[in-house]
Amino acid sequence: MWYDCKKAQKADDIMKKFPVALQLYSVRDNMAEDFEGTLKKVKELGYDGVEFAGLFDKTPDEVKALVDEIGLTPISAHVPYADMVEDTENVLSGYAKIGCKYVVVPYMTEEYRPGAEKFDELIEGIKKIGTKAKELGMTLLYHNHDFEFVKIGEEYGLDVLYASVDEEIFKTELDTCWVNVGGENPAEYILKYSGRSPVVHLKDFVINGEQKGSLYKLIGIDDEEASDNSEEGFAFRPVGYGCQDFGAILEASEKAGAEWVVVEQDEATMGKTPIESAEMSRNYLKDNFGI
């Protein structure tokens, strides 16, 4: 069942002035074309930090020098699970050198998902990565999609995953879009993980009718029965331009002890470029919540 979307409400009473980062997957083509220039533009738009999604052949030392010069906090990085589990120390050490406080499992292929043949293997791999991350002064997070919201017995697979690994080495990066798509109220789900939710993904969307659209098309997975993220189905939106209630989400994030919020838009829509979309999201948060 879909959670009933509500128009985002203005909330002047949110006390915490969250620092706001941009997940650079949102502007991945720009990053590939002009890494340094895109980071400078992200800073100009008013973002306080960035979350990496690849280093585009830059070394950790080069990236650290750039973010230090530009004045962006490198809060975290989405790193493929396979890379982290196969070469744990070398991969994590690079992100520690950049200054990332968090590293994130961004996505799981089908064989590692809840209920699949390698789900138990995933849990053990996450324990290994999380332990090494802690040794290096970082914390491992998990960025969910909607496919973790399948039941294993009486519990969601996502909840089973978190229950299976000590929270001292493994915390959440709840993606509010996918929590909603998975059938849960994003604000309530953030509160469920109070004390374990240091980073929250702010992501907006619209959906017309029951057709979800090709939700994962952009990460190499096509859905034969889906449309193309058009107005007929599912479409991503800049923060504040879809159906999410960000007043409730930010209030819950504050109560849950979140340290950062991260804007992400997987695909630019509304005839806007990725940079224009990132600017719209940033301005919405400034204008409506003062962050």
Side-chain angles (χ1 to χ4, degrees):
M1 179 183 296
W2 296 92
Y3 170 65
D4 291 335
C5 289
K6 299 178 181 179
K7 291 301 293 180
Q9 301 296 313
K10 186 171 182 177
D12 294 323
D13 58 346
I14 292 178
M15 293 180 289
K16 185 174 179 65
K17 301 303 181 185
F18 286 104
V20 181
L22 180 66
Q23 165 48 255
L24 294 172
Y25 182 77
S26 308
V27 291
R28 56 197 175 277
D29 292 340
N30 303 85
M31 291 291 290
E33 293 171 6
D34 184 359
F35 190 95
E36 181 177 352
T38 302
L39 289 178
K40 288 180 177 178
K41 183 62 178 178
V42 169
K43 178 66 175 180
E44 289 173 7
L45 295 180
Y47 285 94
D48 305 292
V50 288
E51 181 173 64
F52 290 98
L55 300 183
F56 299 89
D57 297 323
K58 302 290 185 183
T59 67
D61 286 332
E62 289 172 331
V63 175
K64 176 173 174 49
L66 279 174
V67 293
D68 286 351
E69 176 188 345
I70 294 167
L72 286 167
T73 300
I75 66 160
S76 55
H78 280 195
V79 187
Y81 168 75
D83 293 350
M84 289 195 285
V85 79
E86 289 171 10
D87 194 12
T88 307
E89 182 156 8
N90 286 336
V91 171
L92 295 187
S93 293
Y95 288 100
K97 185 177 291 187
I98 291 169
C100 293
K101 187 174 181 179
Y102 305 101
V103 287
V104 189
V105 177
Y107 177 81
M108 294 313 311
T109 50
E110 290 186 17
E111 68 271 24
Y112 290 105
R113 295 177 187 175
E117 57 180 314
K118 292 188 176 182
F119 183 58
D120 289 342
E121 183 180 321
L122 168 70
I123 291 171
E124 293 308 308
I126 281 177
K127 290 177 181 177
K128 173 187 175 183
I129 299 165
T131 299
K132 177 54 66 174
K134 185 177 181 180
E135 290 176 7
L136 294 169
M138 298 186 292
T139 301
L140 180 64
L141 310 180
Y142 185 87
H143 170 265
N144 64 280
H145 290 76
D146 65 323
F147 49 71
E148 294 91 351
F149 289 89
V150 297
K151 290 292 182 73
I152 297 178
E154 298 299 316
E155 295 184 275
Y156 287 130
L158 187 60
D159 295 324
V160 172
L161 176 60
Y162 286 129
S164 301
V165 185
D166 190 330
E167 67 177 272
E168 290 300 310
I169 61 168
F170 186 49
K171 299 185 186 295
T172 75
E173 182 180 64
L174 294 174
D175 185 300
T176 54
C177 164
W178 297 124
V179 170
N180 196 327
V181 171
E184 290 293 322
N185 179 322
E188 292 178 2
Y189 209 76
I190 291 166
L191 290 173
K192 179 177 182 177
Y193 283 99
S194 293
R196 200 174 182 176
S197 298
V199 182
V200 174
H201 260 213
L202 306 183
K203 185 183 293 182
D204 215 346
F205 69 97
V206 292
I207 187 163
N208 297 311
E210 296 183 358
Q211 186 180 20
K212 292 185 183 180
S214 186
L215 303 184
Y216 305 123
K217 181 176 65 175
L218 293 174
I219 46 179
I221 298 176
D222 208 357
D223 182 348
E224 293 179 0
E225 63 183 67
S227 67
D228 59 353
N229 282 336
S230 70
E231 298 299 331
E232 298 304 318
F234 175 97
F236 297 109
R237 288 286 186 265
V239 170
Y241 290 80
C243 67
Q244 294 269 57
D245 184 350
F246 286 106
I249 287 169
L250 289 168
E251 183 178 2
S253 297
E254 179 184 348
K255 290 179 179 178
E259 298 174 1
W260 281 83
V261 292
V262 178
V263 167
E264 182 180 37
Q265 186 173 343
D266 298 44
E267 180 182 35
T269 56
M270 301 172 64
K272 303 297 183 181
T273 68
I275 290 292
E276 288 170 338
S277 299
E279 182 175 19
M280 291 167 69
S281 293
R282 191 68 193 91
N283 289 342
Y284 170 81
L285 292 170
K286 289 177 187 175
D287 294 344
N288 288 275
F289 304 108
I291 63 174

